[in-house]
Amino acid sequence: MIRTKTWWMTGLSGAGKTTLAQAFATQLRELEHPVCVLDGDELRRGLSRDLGFSAEDREEQCRRVAELAKTLNANGILVIAALISPTASSRNQARAIIGSDQMCEVYVSTPLHVCQQRDVKGLYAKARVESGIQLTGVQSPYEIPCSPDIVINTDQTSLEQAVHFLLSQTFTSVVRD
Ligand SMILES: Nc1ncnc2c1ncn2[C@@H]1O[C@H](COP(=O)(O)OS(=O)(=O)O)[C@@H](OP(=O)(O)O)[C@H]1O
Ligand SMILES: Nc1ncnc2c1ncn2[C@@H]1O[C@H](COP(=O)(O)OP(=O)(O)O)[C@@H](O)[C@H]1O
């Protein structure tokens, strides 16, 4: 059994958070662990549709997702949160809500130029012509995590390798605990 926890994936838009979160969740489900993916982009279409991308709204988005994660964890469900969570304070707030022992901070460290090349949603192209969109890493800051538990650069690590690494870390930590 894995101790109930939350993997908090932080990184730029296009870094690979959603892709990695979904692939990791699939593997955990195959091992019969109940798991819920909380994706920032998706939650902003419902629960957080009142929020924009000001510094205050981003902090509030992270707070809401952390509260959800805490409740899910308390009900025995593993959580993978995929949020840009651009500031140290937003991630520290999440840790304070979820609990230090439960939260595993995963920095998806794919560099900006790779995210720009991928430009999955066309946001980087839009940011080149619209200065008002406050895109993270372009017009809005992203603070690099100081001491993440895990770092994954999807430019240098395949999806399969990254998921395998996350699984191996999960089971090592169970043995350690
Ligand atoms: N200005 C701006 N900056 C950043 N992101 C933007 C912006 N506008 C729209 N989007 C889309 O919103 C998704 C990020 O939402 P998050 O809740 O993860 O962001 S945050 O943690 O509150 O900063 C993000 O999803 P991902 O690409 O999956 O990261 C974007 O698709
Ligand atoms: N090793 C990898 N891990 C995850 N995504 C990758 C990898 N290599 C390429 N990609 C691609 O990068 C893009 C990442 O997009 P996405 O997962 O939506 O990022 P984010 O959620 O961080 O915005 C996807 O199109 C995905 O197929």
Side-chain angles (χ1 to χ4, degrees), residues 9 16-30 37 80 159-160 162-164 166-167:
M9 299 195 174
K17 303 179 299 295
T18 303
T19 306
L20 196 50
Q22 292 296 353
F24 185 34
T26 299
Q27 287 300 309
L28 289 169
R29 288 187 188 115
E30 277 181 16
V37 174
I80 308 169
L159 184 57
E160 293 69 26
V163 170
H164 184 266
L166 285 169
L167 280 173

Side-chain angles (χ1 to χ4, degrees), residues 11-20 39 118 120-121 154-155 157-159:
L12 296 170
S13 177
K17 303 179 299 295
T18 303
T19 306
L20 196 50
D39 190 82
R118 290 179 180 168
V120 185
K121 295 166 189 160
T154 68
D155 191 35
T157 313
S158 72
L159 184 57

Side-chain angles (χ1 to χ4, degrees), residues 38-49 61 65 68:
L38 299 176
D39 190 82
D41 204 17
E42 211 177 291
L43 291 169
R44 281 173 172 277
R45 281 182 227 123
L47 180 74
S48 295
R49 67 180 173 200
Q61 164 77 336
V65 176
L68 270 178

Side-chain angles (χ1 to χ4, degrees), residues 11-14 17-18 39-41 44 53 57-58 61-62 82-86 121 123 133-136:
L12 296 170
S13 177
K17 303 179 299 295
T18 303
D39 190 82
D41 204 17
R44 281 173 172 277
F53 291 94
D57 281 5
R58 289 176 194 260
Q61 164 77 336
C62 294
L83 264 94
I84 293 179
S85 39
K121 295 166 189 160
L123 286 171
I133 77 161
Q134 292 301 306
L135 184 58
T136 314

